[in-house]
Amino acid sequence: MFKIQKGYDSESKTFRIPKELLERMEKLATQHKLSLNQLVVQCLFYAMDNLQLDET
């Protein structure tokens, strides 16, 4: 299950995100009183932890 958390060490990088996705994420971050950056990091951790690689 995805749980929203706060706080971590960080490094700066730049990514391009589709506008529709960005709007959804900004709304969710605001609802949970998080920065957009914190939400993006948590989404990325969740995706990496639940990634299914095709082992062919």
Side-chain angles (χ1 to χ4, degrees):
M1 174 183 269
F2 182 72
K3 285 187 154 187
I4 296 177
Q5 301 172 6
K6 297 182 181 182
Y8 51 86
D9 291 332
S10 65
E11 184 174 326
S12 181
K13 296 288 179 185
T14 301
F15 297 93
R16 299 200 191 303
I17 299 173
K19 288 182 181 183
E20 179 183 319
L21 179 57
L22 180 58
E23 290 169 359
R24 291 173 59 192
M25 294 181 77
E26 287 174 331
K27 183 176 179 181
L28 184 60
T30 299
Q31 289 172 344
H32 290 277
K33 298 180 182 172
L34 290 172
S35 71
L36 179 59
N37 190 72
Q38 289 172 316
L39 179 61
V40 168
V41 168
Q42 290 181 56
C43 289
L44 291 170
F45 269 119
Y46 181 83
M48 294 300 293
D49 289 345
N50 293 281
L51 181 63
Q52 293 184 5
L53 299 174
D54 184 17
E55 297 184 22
T56 56

